[in-house]
Amino acid sequence: MRKQPPVIKVSSEVGRLRRLLVHSPDSGLGKVVPSKAQDWLFEDIVHLDTIRKKEYDFYTKLLLYFLDPSLILGKLKSIDAEKNKRNFYKPGHEDFFKSDKVIELQWLLAEILEDLEIRLKLAASVCAIENCSYDTQKELLDLDPVELAKTFITGTLENGRMLFAPIPNFIFTRDIGIVINEWVLLNKPAKKARTREALLAKYIFFNHGIFREYQKNIIELNDGYHHFLLPKDSDDRKITLEGGDVMVVTQDHLLIGVSERTTMEAAHQAIQLLFEKAVVKKITVIKIPKKRDYMHIDTVFTQVRRDAWVMLGVFSKKSMKHENEDSIQRAMEGSKKDEKLKIVQFRKKDLEHPVYFDNLEDLLSEISKTDLACEGRVKFIYSGNNEFPFDAREQWTDSCNLLALKEGVVLGYDRNDKTIEAFRENGFDVVHAHDLIEQLENETVTAEQIENTLILMPSAELSRARGGFHCMSMPLFRDDL
Protein backbone atom coordinates (compact mmCIF):
# COMPACT_ATOMS: atom_id res chain seq x y z
CA MET A 1 0.00 0.00 0.00
CA ARG A 2 1.33 3.42 -0.95
CA LYS A 3 2.19 5.57 2.08
CA GLN A 4 0.05 8.69 2.40
CA PRO A 5 1.96 12.00 2.42
CA PRO A 6 1.98 13.86 5.74
CA VAL A 7 -0.77 16.39 6.43
CA ILE A 8 1.80 18.98 7.40
CA LYS A 9 5.33 19.48 6.13
CA VAL A 10 6.95 22.77 5.18
CA SER A 11 10.68 22.97 4.57
CA SER A 12 10.93 25.98 2.26
CA GLU A 13 9.26 29.25 1.32
CA VAL A 14 8.93 28.42 -2.38
CA GLY A 15 8.28 24.68 -2.80
CA ARG A 16 5.02 23.88 -4.62
CA LEU A 17 2.20 24.79 -2.24
CA ARG A 18 -0.20 21.87 -1.66
CA ARG A 19 -2.16 22.75 1.49
CA LEU A 20 -2.73 25.92 3.54
CA LEU A 21 -4.97 27.53 6.13
CA VAL A 22 -6.95 30.64 5.20
CA HIS A 23 -9.82 32.67 6.57
CA SER A 24 -12.26 34.49 4.30
CA PRO A 25 -13.12 38.10 5.18
CA ASP A 26 -16.00 37.87 7.65
CA SER A 27 -18.60 40.43 8.71
CA GLY A 28 -16.33 41.58 11.55
CA LEU A 29 -14.22 43.50 9.01
CA GLY A 30 -17.30 45.52 8.15
CA LYS A 31 -17.68 46.58 11.77
CA VAL A 32 -14.26 48.17 12.25
CA VAL A 33 -14.94 51.81 13.13
CA PRO A 34 -12.42 54.67 12.70
CA SER A 35 -11.99 55.19 16.44
CA LYS A 36 -10.99 51.53 16.93
CA ALA A 37 -9.14 50.86 13.68
CA GLN A 38 -5.68 51.39 15.17
CA ASP A 39 -6.51 49.37 18.30
CA TRP A 40 -7.63 46.54 16.03
CA LEU A 41 -4.41 46.95 13.98
CA PHE A 42 -6.04 48.35 10.83
CA GLU A 43 -4.88 51.56 9.18
CA ASP A 44 -8.31 52.35 7.81
CA ILE A 45 -11.83 51.00 7.60
CA VAL A 46 -12.56 48.71 4.66
CA HIS A 47 -15.59 48.22 2.42
CA LEU A 48 -16.65 44.64 3.12
CA ASP A 49 -18.55 43.92 -0.10
CA THR A 50 -15.59 45.06 -2.23
CA ILE A 51 -12.97 43.25 -0.20
CA ARG A 52 -14.95 40.03 -0.60
CA LYS A 53 -16.37 40.03 -4.14
CA LYS A 54 -13.82 42.09 -6.01
CA GLU A 55 -10.63 41.10 -4.20
CA TYR A 56 -10.45 38.13 -1.83
CA ASP A 57 -12.66 35.92 -4.05
CA PHE A 58 -9.92 36.11 -6.70
CA TYR A 59 -7.45 34.80 -4.13
CA THR A 60 -9.76 31.88 -3.32
CA LYS A 61 -10.21 31.07 -7.01
CA LEU A 62 -6.48 31.04 -7.74
CA LEU A 63 -5.72 28.92 -4.69
CA LEU A 64 -8.30 26.37 -5.85
CA TYR A 65 -7.06 26.32 -9.45
CA PHE A 66 -3.52 25.65 -8.18
CA LEU A 67 -4.25 23.40 -5.19
CA ASP A 68 -7.69 21.77 -5.67
CA PRO A 69 -8.85 22.35 -9.27
CA SER A 70 -11.59 19.68 -9.24
CA LEU A 71 -13.69 22.00 -7.05
CA ILE A 72 -13.64 24.92 -9.49
CA LEU A 73 -12.45 23.97 -12.98
CA GLY A 74 -15.30 24.16 -15.47
CA LYS A 75 -17.72 25.33 -12.78
CA LEU A 76 -16.87 29.01 -12.43
CA LYS A 77 -19.85 30.34 -14.38
CA SER A 78 -22.24 28.54 -12.05
CA ILE A 79 -20.24 29.38 -8.91
CA ASP A 80 -20.28 33.10 -9.70
CA ALA A 81 -23.86 33.23 -10.98
CA GLU A 82 -25.77 36.00 -9.25
CA LYS A 83 -28.53 33.62 -8.15
CA ASN A 84 -26.02 31.64 -6.05
CA LYS A 85 -25.21 34.70 -3.88
CA ARG A 86 -21.52 33.81 -3.34
CA ASN A 87 -22.54 30.79 -1.26
CA PHE A 88 -19.53 28.88 -2.60
CA TYR A 89 -17.27 31.33 -0.71
CA LYS A 90 -19.20 31.46 2.59
CA PRO A 91 -17.72 29.17 5.27
CA GLY A 92 -21.03 28.81 7.14
CA HIS A 93 -23.11 27.88 4.09
CA GLU A 94 -23.91 24.33 2.98
CA ASP A 95 -22.63 25.19 -0.54
CA PHE A 96 -19.20 26.28 0.76
CA PHE A 97 -16.35 24.67 -1.19
CA LYS A 98 -14.91 22.79 1.85
CA SER A 99 -11.54 21.93 0.37
CA ASP A 100 -9.09 19.77 2.32
CA LYS A 101 -6.27 21.66 0.61
CA VAL A 102 -7.46 25.28 0.82
CA ILE A 103 -8.64 24.89 4.40
CA GLU A 104 -10.90 27.45 6.03
CA LEU A 105 -10.29 28.09 9.75
CA GLN A 106 -13.94 28.84 10.44
CA TRP A 107 -14.88 25.45 9.01
CA LEU A 108 -12.34 23.67 11.27
CA LEU A 109 -13.58 25.64 14.27
CA ALA A 110 -17.20 24.63 13.60
CA GLU A 111 -16.15 20.98 13.36
CA ILE A 112 -14.37 20.89 16.74
CA LEU A 113 -17.37 22.65 18.32
CA GLU A 114 -19.46 19.55 17.56
CA ASP A 115 -17.81 18.15 20.70
CA LEU A 116 -19.76 19.29 23.77
CA GLU A 117 -16.74 19.32 26.08
CA ILE A 118 -14.76 21.52 23.68
CA ARG A 119 -17.78 23.78 23.21
CA LEU A 120 -18.09 24.26 26.98
CA LYS A 121 -14.39 24.95 27.48
CA LEU A 122 -14.02 27.31 24.55
CA ALA A 123 -17.18 29.26 25.36
CA ALA A 124 -15.95 29.71 28.93
CA SER A 125 -12.49 30.78 27.72
CA VAL A 126 -13.82 33.29 25.19
CA CYS A 127 -16.24 34.74 27.74
CA ALA A 128 -13.43 35.10 30.27
CA ILE A 129 -11.24 36.94 27.75
CA GLU A 130 -14.10 39.18 26.66
CA ASN A 131 -15.53 39.72 30.17
CA CYS A 132 -18.98 38.45 29.19
CA SER A 133 -21.86 37.89 31.56
CA TYR A 134 -22.88 34.41 32.64
CA ASP A 135 -26.15 34.83 30.68
CA THR A 136 -24.14 35.57 27.53
CA GLN A 137 -22.12 32.41 28.08
CA LYS A 138 -25.33 30.36 28.34
CA GLU A 139 -26.66 32.08 25.22
CA LEU A 140 -23.55 31.08 23.28
CA LEU A 141 -23.93 27.47 24.33
CA ASP A 142 -27.43 27.41 22.83
CA LEU A 143 -26.01 28.12 19.36
CA ASP A 144 -25.31 25.33 16.89
CA PRO A 145 -21.60 24.73 16.10
CA VAL A 146 -21.67 26.55 12.74
CA GLU A 147 -23.26 29.68 14.18
CA LEU A 148 -21.10 29.53 17.32
CA ALA A 149 -17.91 29.38 15.23
CA LYS A 150 -19.05 32.40 13.25
CA THR A 151 -19.93 34.30 16.45
CA PHE A 152 -16.56 33.53 18.07
CA ILE A 153 -14.89 35.12 15.04
CA THR A 154 -17.21 38.03 14.20
CA GLY A 155 -18.40 38.80 17.73
CA THR A 156 -21.95 39.10 16.39
CA LEU A 157 -25.04 36.90 16.52
CA GLU A 158 -27.16 36.09 13.46
CA ASN A 159 -29.69 38.73 14.55
CA GLY A 160 -26.98 41.41 14.33
CA ARG A 161 -26.42 41.88 18.07
CA MET A 162 -22.74 42.36 18.91
CA LEU A 163 -21.54 40.47 21.99
CA PHE A 164 -17.87 41.43 21.81
CA ALA A 165 -15.36 42.95 19.41
CA PRO A 166 -14.59 41.27 16.07
CA ILE A 167 -11.15 39.83 15.34
CA PRO A 168 -10.57 41.34 11.88
CA ASN A 169 -6.93 40.20 11.78
CA PHE A 170 -8.01 36.55 11.60
CA ILE A 171 -7.65 36.82 7.81
CA PHE A 172 -3.88 36.97 8.43
CA THR A 173 -3.56 33.27 9.15
CA ARG A 174 0.25 33.32 8.90
CA ASP A 175 0.41 34.93 12.32
CA ILE A 176 -1.44 32.23 14.26
CA GLY A 177 1.44 29.82 13.85
CA ILE A 178 4.01 28.38 11.50
CA VAL A 179 4.75 24.88 10.22
CA ILE A 180 8.44 24.01 10.46
CA ASN A 181 9.11 20.68 8.75
CA GLU A 182 6.56 18.46 10.54
CA TRP A 183 6.22 20.66 13.63
CA VAL A 184 3.85 23.53 14.44
CA LEU A 185 5.07 26.58 16.37
CA LEU A 186 2.05 28.44 17.76
CA ASN A 187 2.18 32.18 18.23
CA LYS A 188 1.86 34.44 21.24
CA PRO A 189 0.38 37.67 19.87
CA ALA A 190 1.83 41.01 20.88
CA LYS A 191 -1.42 42.93 20.75
CA LYS A 192 -4.51 42.39 22.91
CA ALA A 193 -6.72 42.59 19.80
CA ARG A 194 -5.34 39.22 18.68
CA THR A 195 -5.74 37.27 21.95
CA ARG A 196 -8.94 35.52 20.84
CA GLU A 197 -7.33 34.55 17.54
CA ALA A 198 -4.55 32.73 19.36
CA LEU A 199 -7.06 30.97 21.63
CA LEU A 200 -9.21 29.73 18.72
CA ALA A 201 -6.13 28.59 16.79
CA LYS A 202 -4.80 26.69 19.82
CA TYR A 203 -8.09 24.81 20.22
CA ILE A 204 -8.14 23.94 16.52
CA PHE A 205 -4.60 22.58 16.44
CA PHE A 206 -4.96 20.58 19.64
CA ASN A 207 -8.45 19.22 18.92
CA HIS A 208 -9.16 18.86 15.20
CA GLY A 209 -8.73 15.40 13.73
CA ILE A 210 -6.66 16.66 10.82
CA PHE A 211 -3.82 17.43 13.25
CA ARG A 212 -4.31 14.36 15.51
CA GLU A 213 -0.99 12.73 14.56
CA TYR A 214 0.91 15.96 15.29
CA GLN A 215 -0.21 16.64 18.88
CA LYS A 216 3.29 15.96 20.21
CA ASN A 217 4.76 18.18 17.50
CA ILE A 218 2.97 21.36 18.57
CA ILE A 219 5.27 23.85 20.28
CA GLU A 220 3.99 26.63 22.53
CA LEU A 221 6.16 29.33 24.05
CA ASN A 222 5.82 29.81 27.80
CA ASP A 223 5.54 33.17 29.50
CA GLY A 224 8.81 34.42 30.95
CA TYR A 225 9.81 33.76 34.54
CA HIS A 226 7.77 36.04 36.84
CA HIS A 227 6.54 37.90 33.74
CA PHE A 228 3.53 39.17 35.69
CA LEU A 229 5.84 41.11 38.05
CA LEU A 230 7.56 43.03 35.28
CA PRO A 231 6.83 46.76 34.89
CA LYS A 232 4.84 47.85 31.84
CA ASP A 233 7.90 49.32 30.14
CA SER A 234 9.73 45.96 30.08
CA ASP A 235 8.34 44.99 26.68
CA ASP A 236 11.58 43.39 25.52
CA ARG A 237 11.29 40.79 28.25
CA LYS A 238 7.78 39.72 27.29
CA ILE A 239 7.29 36.57 25.26
CA THR A 240 5.47 37.56 22.08
CA LEU A 241 5.90 35.94 18.68
CA GLU A 242 3.89 36.09 15.45
CA GLY A 243 4.16 33.90 12.36
CA GLY A 244 5.06 36.77 10.05
CA ASP A 245 8.42 36.82 11.83
CA VAL A 246 9.21 33.17 11.11
CA MET A 247 10.39 31.80 7.76
CA VAL A 248 11.40 28.24 6.93
CA VAL A 249 14.00 28.69 4.19
CA THR A 250 15.35 25.11 4.15
CA GLN A 251 14.79 21.92 6.10
CA ASP A 252 17.68 22.83 8.39
CA HIS A 253 17.52 26.64 8.43
CA LEU A 254 14.93 28.90 10.05
CA LEU A 255 14.71 32.71 10.16
CA ILE A 256 13.19 34.47 13.17
CA GLY A 257 12.50 38.19 13.16
CA VAL A 258 12.68 40.43 16.20
CA SER A 259 10.31 43.28 15.42
CA GLU A 260 7.43 45.38 16.63
CA ARG A 261 5.51 42.15 17.26
CA THR A 262 8.18 39.54 18.19
CA THR A 263 10.48 40.07 21.16
CA MET A 264 14.07 39.03 21.73
CA GLU A 265 12.95 36.90 24.68
CA ALA A 266 10.54 35.02 22.42
CA ALA A 267 13.26 34.45 19.81
CA HIS A 268 15.60 33.22 22.56
CA GLN A 269 13.04 30.73 23.88
CA ALA A 270 12.09 29.56 20.37
CA ILE A 271 15.75 28.90 19.51
CA GLN A 272 16.23 26.83 22.67
CA LEU A 273 13.08 24.77 22.08
CA LEU A 274 13.67 24.21 18.36
CA PHE A 275 17.27 23.11 18.90
CA GLU A 276 16.31 20.96 21.89
CA LYS A 277 13.67 19.14 19.81
CA ALA A 278 16.04 18.88 16.81
CA VAL A 279 13.54 20.63 14.54
CA VAL A 280 16.27 22.56 12.66
CA LYS A 281 20.05 22.86 12.79
CA LYS A 282 20.50 26.57 12.09
CA ILE A 283 18.51 29.65 13.12
CA THR A 284 19.15 33.21 12.02
CA VAL A 285 17.73 36.07 14.07
CA ILE A 286 16.96 39.24 12.11
CA LYS A 287 16.35 42.25 14.32
CA ILE A 288 14.58 45.06 12.47
CA PRO A 289 13.50 48.48 13.75
CA LYS A 290 10.35 48.46 15.89
CA LYS A 291 8.27 50.47 13.47
CA ARG A 292 4.67 50.13 12.36
CA ASP A 293 6.02 50.48 8.80
CA TYR A 294 7.74 47.09 9.08
CA MET A 295 5.73 45.09 11.65
CA HIS A 296 7.23 41.67 10.71
CA ILE A 297 10.22 40.53 8.66
CA ASP A 298 7.88 39.34 5.91
CA THR A 299 6.91 42.96 5.32
CA VAL A 300 10.50 43.79 4.30
CA PHE A 301 11.44 40.67 2.31
CA THR A 302 10.07 37.37 0.99
CA GLN A 303 11.49 34.70 -1.30
CA VAL A 304 10.42 34.35 -4.93
CA ARG A 305 12.72 31.58 -6.21
CA ARG A 306 15.76 29.76 -4.86
CA ASP A 307 17.85 32.50 -6.42
CA ALA A 308 15.48 35.48 -6.19
CA TRP A 309 14.13 37.63 -3.37
CA VAL A 310 11.98 40.74 -3.15
CA MET A 311 13.09 43.20 -0.48
CA LEU A 312 13.11 46.77 0.79
CA GLY A 313 16.27 48.54 -0.39
CA VAL A 314 16.88 50.31 2.94
CA PHE A 315 18.28 46.97 4.23
CA SER A 316 20.48 46.34 1.17
CA LYS A 317 24.25 46.22 1.20
CA LYS A 318 24.61 49.65 -0.41
CA SER A 319 22.25 51.26 2.06
CA MET A 320 23.73 49.61 5.16
CA LYS A 321 27.28 50.49 4.10
CA HIS A 322 26.22 54.03 3.04
CA GLU A 323 27.87 53.52 -0.36
CA ASN A 324 25.75 56.21 -1.99
CA GLU A 325 26.79 58.84 0.56
CA ASP A 326 29.86 61.06 0.74
CA SER A 327 32.60 60.53 3.32
CA ILE A 328 31.10 63.01 5.81
CA GLN A 329 27.67 61.36 5.65
CA ARG A 330 29.20 57.90 6.03
CA ALA A 331 31.14 58.92 9.11
CA MET A 332 28.13 60.57 10.73
CA GLU A 333 25.58 57.88 9.85
CA GLY A 334 27.81 54.86 10.39
CA SER A 335 27.20 54.71 14.13
CA LYS A 336 23.45 54.31 13.54
CA LYS A 337 23.85 51.00 11.70
CA ASP A 338 23.00 48.82 14.68
CA GLU A 339 19.76 50.71 15.21
CA LYS A 340 18.61 49.71 11.74
CA LEU A 341 19.38 46.03 11.50
CA LYS A 342 21.16 43.26 13.36
CA ILE A 343 21.56 39.73 12.00
CA VAL A 344 22.96 36.86 14.09
CA GLN A 345 23.09 33.23 13.01
CA PHE A 346 23.23 30.34 15.48
CA ARG A 347 24.18 26.74 14.71
CA LYS A 348 23.00 24.00 17.02
CA LYS A 349 26.38 22.24 16.99
CA ASP A 350 28.36 25.42 17.74
CA LEU A 351 26.29 27.87 19.78
CA GLU A 352 29.37 29.58 21.20
CA HIS A 353 30.38 30.97 17.81
CA PRO A 354 27.48 32.78 16.15
CA VAL A 355 27.90 34.29 12.68
CA TYR A 356 27.05 37.96 12.03
CA PHE A 357 25.84 39.64 8.83
CA ASP A 358 26.06 43.34 7.99
CA ASN A 359 23.04 43.45 5.73
CA LEU A 360 20.09 41.47 4.48
CA GLU A 361 21.49 40.88 1.00
CA ASP A 362 24.52 38.99 2.36
CA LEU A 363 22.29 36.71 4.42
CA LEU A 364 19.83 36.00 1.60
CA SER A 365 22.68 35.43 -0.86
CA GLU A 366 24.21 32.90 1.51
CA ILE A 367 20.88 31.09 1.83
CA SER A 368 20.53 30.88 -1.95
CA LYS A 369 24.13 29.87 -2.64
CA THR A 370 25.04 27.74 0.36
CA ASP A 371 21.77 26.31 1.64
CA LEU A 372 19.99 26.01 -1.72
CA ALA A 373 23.06 25.37 -3.92
CA CYS A 374 22.37 28.11 -6.47
CA GLU A 375 25.31 28.61 -8.81
CA GLY A 376 24.42 31.81 -10.65
CA ARG A 377 23.89 35.37 -9.47
CA VAL A 378 21.28 35.87 -6.79
CA LYS A 379 18.61 38.35 -7.89
CA PHE A 380 17.18 41.07 -5.67
CA ILE A 381 13.94 42.72 -6.74
CA TYR A 382 13.48 45.93 -4.78
CA SER A 383 10.32 47.50 -3.49
CA GLY A 384 9.40 50.46 -5.68
CA ASN A 385 12.34 49.51 -7.95
CA ASN A 386 14.52 51.10 -5.25
CA GLU A 387 13.33 54.59 -6.17
CA PHE A 388 12.39 57.09 -3.49
CA PRO A 389 9.60 57.68 -2.48
CA PHE A 390 8.08 54.68 -4.26
CA ASP A 391 10.18 52.19 -2.28
CA ALA A 392 8.62 53.27 1.03
CA ARG A 393 5.14 53.84 -0.39
CA GLU A 394 4.94 50.41 -1.99
CA GLN A 395 6.48 48.60 0.97
CA TRP A 396 3.66 50.13 3.04
CA THR A 397 1.20 48.44 0.66
CA ASP A 398 2.99 45.08 0.88
CA SER A 399 5.21 45.04 -2.17
CA CYS A 400 7.56 42.72 -0.25
CA ASN A 401 4.86 40.46 1.22
CA LEU A 402 4.40 37.87 -1.53
CA LEU A 403 3.13 34.29 -1.42
CA ALA A 404 4.81 31.69 -3.61
CA LEU A 405 2.31 29.21 -5.08
CA LYS A 406 5.32 27.41 -6.44
CA GLU A 407 8.90 28.38 -7.15
CA GLY A 408 8.95 31.58 -9.19
CA VAL A 409 5.15 32.05 -9.22
CA VAL A 410 4.02 34.60 -6.64
CA LEU A 411 0.94 36.60 -5.69
CA GLY A 412 1.23 40.36 -5.12
CA TYR A 413 -0.89 43.51 -5.16
CA ASP A 414 -1.66 45.25 -8.46
CA ARG A 415 -1.19 48.74 -6.97
CA ASN A 416 2.61 48.52 -6.56
CA ASP A 417 3.53 49.79 -10.01
CA LYS A 418 7.27 50.36 -9.57
CA THR A 419 7.78 46.96 -7.94
CA ILE A 420 5.92 45.38 -10.87
CA GLU A 421 8.35 47.23 -13.15
CA ALA A 422 11.25 45.73 -11.20
CA PHE A 423 9.86 42.21 -11.66
CA ARG A 424 9.62 42.75 -15.41
CA GLU A 425 13.19 44.05 -15.53
CA ASN A 426 14.31 40.86 -13.78
CA GLY A 427 12.72 38.63 -16.41
CA PHE A 428 9.38 37.80 -14.81
CA ASP A 429 6.09 37.68 -16.65
CA VAL A 430 3.29 39.73 -15.14
CA VAL A 431 -0.39 38.76 -15.39
CA HIS A 432 -3.49 40.11 -13.68
CA ALA A 433 -5.61 37.64 -11.71
CA HIS A 434 -8.71 38.50 -13.79
CA ASP A 435 -6.96 37.38 -16.98
CA LEU A 436 -5.24 34.36 -15.47
CA ILE A 437 -8.46 32.99 -13.96
CA GLU A 438 -10.15 33.26 -17.36
CA GLN A 439 -7.22 31.38 -18.96
CA LEU A 440 -7.26 28.67 -16.27
CA GLU A 441 -11.02 28.22 -16.55
CA ASN A 442 -10.85 27.99 -20.37
CA GLU A 443 -7.84 25.64 -20.02
CA THR A 444 -5.72 27.73 -22.41
CA VAL A 445 -3.10 27.46 -19.65
CA THR A 446 -2.63 25.16 -16.66
CA ALA A 447 -1.11 25.82 -13.25
CA GLU A 448 1.75 23.46 -14.16
CA GLN A 449 2.66 25.55 -17.22
CA ILE A 450 2.99 28.86 -15.38
CA GLU A 451 6.58 29.78 -14.52
CA ASN A 452 8.45 32.89 -13.38
CA THR A 453 5.31 34.97 -13.02
CA LEU A 454 4.06 37.72 -10.76
CA ILE A 455 0.28 37.40 -10.47
CA LEU A 456 -1.35 40.74 -9.74
CA MET A 457 -4.26 40.71 -7.32
CA PRO A 458 -6.88 43.48 -6.94
CA SER A 459 -6.00 45.36 -3.77
CA ALA A 460 -7.76 48.66 -3.17
CA GLU A 461 -9.45 47.45 0.05
CA LEU A 462 -7.24 44.52 1.08
CA SER A 463 -4.18 46.76 1.23
CA ARG A 464 -5.87 48.97 3.84
CA ALA A 465 -5.57 46.10 6.30
CA ARG A 466 -1.72 46.19 6.08
CA GLY A 467 -1.03 42.65 5.02
CA GLY A 468 -0.29 40.87 1.76
CA PHE A 469 -0.81 37.28 0.63
CA HIS A 470 2.16 35.99 2.62
CA CYS A 471 0.27 37.24 5.69
CA MET A 472 -3.03 35.78 4.45
CA SER A 473 -1.71 32.22 4.29
CA MET A 474 -0.47 29.58 6.70
CA PRO A 475 1.14 26.89 4.53
CA LEU A 476 0.62 23.40 5.92
CA PHE A 477 2.33 21.46 3.16
CA ARG A 478 4.83 22.32 0.44
CA ASP A 479 6.68 19.95 -1.87
CA ASP A 480 10.37 19.63 -1.11
CA LEU A 481 12.65 21.68 -3.33
Side-chain angles (χ1 to χ4, degrees), residues 91-275:
H93 198 278
E94 60 182 11
D95 294 336
F96 179 62
F97 62 81
K98 282 193 177 180
S99 170
D100 64 350
K101 298 177 179 65
V102 182
I103 304 174
E104 166 62 52
L105 275 171
Q106 186 174 322
W107 170 35
L108 297 187
L109 181 59
E111 289 189 332
I112 67 168
L113 289 172
E114 296 281 354
D115 185 299
L116 177 59
E117 184 180 356
I118 293 171
R119 199 154 69 242
L120 290 168
K121 287 180 179 178
L122 194 47
S125 298
V126 168
C127 287
I129 288 172
E130 303 299 342
N131 197 25
C132 296
S133 69
Y134 194 72
D135 282 344
T136 296
Q137 185 172 328
K138 288 195 295 182
E139 189 176 6
L140 288 170
L141 290 172
D142 287 337
L143 302 177
D144 68 70
V146 171
E147 189 179 347
L148 184 56
K150 186 176 179 180
T151 302
F152 279 158
I153 293 169
T154 65
T156 304
L157 296 172
E158 285 290 331
N159 63 14
R161 184 161 64 91
M162 287 189 75
L163 301 180
F164 32 75
I167 46 173
N169 293 278
F170 211 39
I171 60 170
F172 301 126
T173 51
R174 173 81 51 160
D175 288 329
I176 65 173
I178 196 85
V179 174
I180 308 167
N181 296 318
E182 293 186 33
W183 294 74
V184 179
L185 175 64
L186 292 182
N187 85 341
K188 286 183 73 71
K191 306 295 183 180
K192 186 178 178 181
R194 306 197 77 171
T195 303
R196 196 161 85 241
E197 288 178 55
L199 174 67
L200 299 179
K202 182 188 300 188
Y203 267 76
I204 289 168
F205 277 102
F206 277 107
N207 293 287
H208 199 282
I210 195 173
F211 304 116
R212 186 172 291 118
E213 294 179 21
Y214 301 91
Q215 301 290 298
K216 294 181 180 178
N217 284 19
I218 298 173
I219 300 171
E220 291 187 272
L221 301 186
N222 296 315
D223 287 317
Y225 183 64
H226 286 172
H227 68 98
F228 41 79
L229 298 178
L230 294 173
K232 287 185 178 180
D233 59 356
S234 299
D235 286 347
D236 286 344
R237 296 182 63 187
K238 290 179 182 176
I239 306 292
T240 67
L241 177 141
E242 296 184 359
D245 277 317
V246 185
M247 290 188 192
V248 188
V249 288
T250 72
Q251 182 176 342
D252 296 325
H253 190 180
L254 186 74
L255 309 183
I256 298 180
V258 173
S259 66
E260 183 197 41
R261 304 284 179 83
T262 298
T263 63
M264 191 66 80
E265 283 292 322
H268 177 212
Q269 189 181 130
I271 291 168
Q272 289 182 318
L273 285 168
L274 292 165
F275 280 162

Side-chain angles (χ1 to χ4, degrees), residues 438-454:
E438 185 178 332
Q439 293 167 22
L440 290 165
E441 178 66 5
N442 295 334
E443 297 186 79
T444 56
V445 70
T446 65
E448 285 67 32
Q449 293 171 329
I450 301 168
E451 295 181 348
N452 295 320
T453 300
L454 170 63

Side-chain angles (χ1 to χ4, degrees), residues 253-435:
H253 190 180
L254 186 74
L255 309 183
I256 298 180
V258 173
S259 66
E260 183 197 41
R261 304 284 179 83
T262 298
T263 63
M264 191 66 80
E265 283 292 322
H268 177 212
Q269 189 181 130
I271 291 168
Q272 289 182 318
L273 285 168
L274 292 165
F275 280 162
E276 179 186 307
K277 296 176 183 295
V279 180
V280 291
K281 297 177 182 176
K282 182 167 61 174
I283 297 175
T284 302
V285 175
I286 304 169
K287 185 178 180 182
I288 60 176
K290 291 184 180 182
K291 294 176 65 176
R292 174 69 171 146
D293 306 39
Y294 304 149
M295 203 182 322
H296 299 128
I297 58 170
D298 71 355
T299 68
V300 296
F301 73 95
T302 45
Q303 193 170 11
V304 178
R305 279 191 326 232
R306 289 171 223 234
D307 64 343
W309 305 76
V310 59
M311 65 172 285
L312 180 62
V314 72
F315 298 117
S316 67
K317 186 183 294 188
K318 278 188 176 181
S319 180
M320 297 304 293
K321 292 181 179 293
H322 307 286
E323 290 181 8
N324 292 330
E325 299 169 2
D326 62 35
S327 56
I328 298 172
Q329 286 175 311
R330 278 196 296 273
M332 294 178 71
E333 294 291 333
S335 61
K336 293 184 179 180
K337 183 173 67 175
D338 288 343
E339 297 172 19
K340 281 188 176 182
L341 185 76
K342 185 175 183 179
I343 303 175
V344 189
Q345 188 174 97
F346 299 94
R347 296 170 187 267
K348 183 185 176 186
K349 64 181 181 181
D350 191 13
L351 285 173
E352 299 300 319
H353 299 93
V355 178
Y356 296 86
F357 294 84
D358 282 339
N359 59 82
L360 199 49
E361 282 179 349
D362 283 352
L363 169 67
L364 303 183
S365 292
E366 190 208 56
I367 291 168
S368 290
K369 292 179 178 178
T370 304
D371 296 342
L372 296 171
C374 295
E375 295 181 357
R377 184 175 66 86
V378 178
K379 288 189 174 183
F380 292 100
I381 301 161
Y382 296 105
S383 173
N385 215 0
N386 227 11
E387 296 177 34
F388 181 81
F390 309 107
D391 52 353
R393 281 176 55 87
E394 296 190 7
Q395 183 273 331
W396 181 262
T397 50
D398 294 294
S399 58
C400 299
N401 192 269
L402 308 184
L403 173 66
L405 298 178
K406 62 179 184 177
E407 189 175 3
V409 178
V410 291
L411 301 180
Y413 284 155
D414 60 359
R415 64 182 297 152
N416 295 320
D417 301 331
K418 291 286 185 178
T419 308
I420 294 166
E421 201 176 276
F423 267 89
R424 284 198 175 100
E425 289 173 4
N426 279 277
F428 284 80
D429 293 327
V430 176
V431 62
H432 201 284
H434 298 87
D435 300 322

